[in-house]
Amino acid sequence: MKIVLLNGSPRRGGNTEIMINTFMENVKDHDVVKLNIASMNIKGCLGCKYCWSHQGECVQKDDMEQVWTHLKEADVLIFGSPIYWFDMTAQLKTVIDRMYAGGSTGFHFHKTALLLDAGADHVFDAAISQYKAMTSYLKWEDLGIICVPNMEDKGSMKESSKLAEVIQLAKSL
């Protein structure tokens, strides 16, 4: 089984990356790939629908092609993001928008999970709503949503009791 993790955080070594790395360290006997999408050159969807008449190929030639290479082989997709202004990062939302191209051909994976962290609590609703709308519409199986609030300082995640849930999710695969 191939698991692809989309790290939407631009902050290297931050709480989201700690959470994603913990997940990766606890997955056994599977191929796991982490894509740090914030450092990739991925432009926003143009809404031109070129992909719909070209077997999912996007008219734009950028680093989203690398993401697609992994998504085409993925069995499980994990979205990971800190909350920026009540939602997942713009970098992750851009990748999700560009996944529109997959609507014309379908997706190889059908299982997903969502890992979120934030400096406050009660700020996860928008990201969870978007994720649930995607999973429902695309009939993806939701393996879990883990929200870790009050991660105010870089590295706070190392002490979070919520990492036990991340480990449990990883080991369940």
Side-chain angles (χ1 to χ4, degrees):
M1 177 167 46
K2 181 171 182 173
I3 302 167
V4 175
L5 294 110
L6 298 179
N7 178 11
S9 178
R11 188 182 211 186
R12 293 299 206 141
N15 293 316
T16 303
E17 191 163 50
I18 292 167
M19 183 168 40
I20 288 171
N21 288 346
T22 299
F23 180 92
M24 291 177 65
E25 291 162 6
N26 286 279
V27 170
K28 302 297 180 208
D29 303 319
H30 299 300
D31 181 19
V32 182
V33 175
K34 175 177 71 171
L35 299 174
N36 293 312
I37 59 171
S39 62
M40 300 172 92
N41 178 25
I42 301 175
K43 299 174 186 125
C45 179
L46 299 173
C48 66
K49 291 197 176 187
Y50 178 91
C51 56
W52 285 75
S53 60
H54 292 84
Q55 290 78 42
E57 178 186 342
C58 184
V59 70
Q60 299 185 86
K61 303 303 176 206
D62 59 15
D63 290 342
M64 188 64 190
E65 291 181 54
Q66 295 172 37
V67 175
W68 276 119
T69 297
H70 294 289
L71 291 182
K72 287 177 181 177
E73 300 172 350
D75 298 296
V76 177
L77 176 61
I78 310 292
F79 298 94
S81 182
I83 297 295
Y84 284 8
W85 200 244
F86 304 98
D87 206 346
M88 56 185 83
T89 63
Q91 293 89 340
L92 185 55
K93 287 187 279 191
T94 299
V95 169
I96 290 169
D97 284 353
R98 289 287 296 278
M99 287 173 64
Y100 177 72
S104 66
T105 58
F107 295 93
H108 183 267
F109 61 89
H110 297 283
K111 296 180 179 186
T112 61
L114 180 62
L115 306 177
L116 299 170
D117 64 276
D121 56 4
H122 307 294
V123 293
F124 299 101
D125 293 349
I128 291 169
S129 291
Q130 179 177 7
Y131 172 76
K132 285 183 175 182
M134 282 189 307
T135 58
S136 174
Y137 183 79
L138 295 166
K139 297 181 179 27
W140 292 341
E141 179 185 349
D142 171 27
L143 300 176
I145 299 170
I146 300 173
C147 300
V148 186
N150 304 316
M151 296 289 102
E152 294 178 15
D153 299 318
K154 186 176 182 179
S156 298
M157 184 65 70
K158 292 177 187 174
E159 306 302 320
S160 175
S161 61
K162 296 285 250 173
L163 281 180
E165 291 179 40
V166 173
I167 292 168
Q168 181 180 2
L169 175 62
K171 289 183 176 184
S172 72
L173 300 176

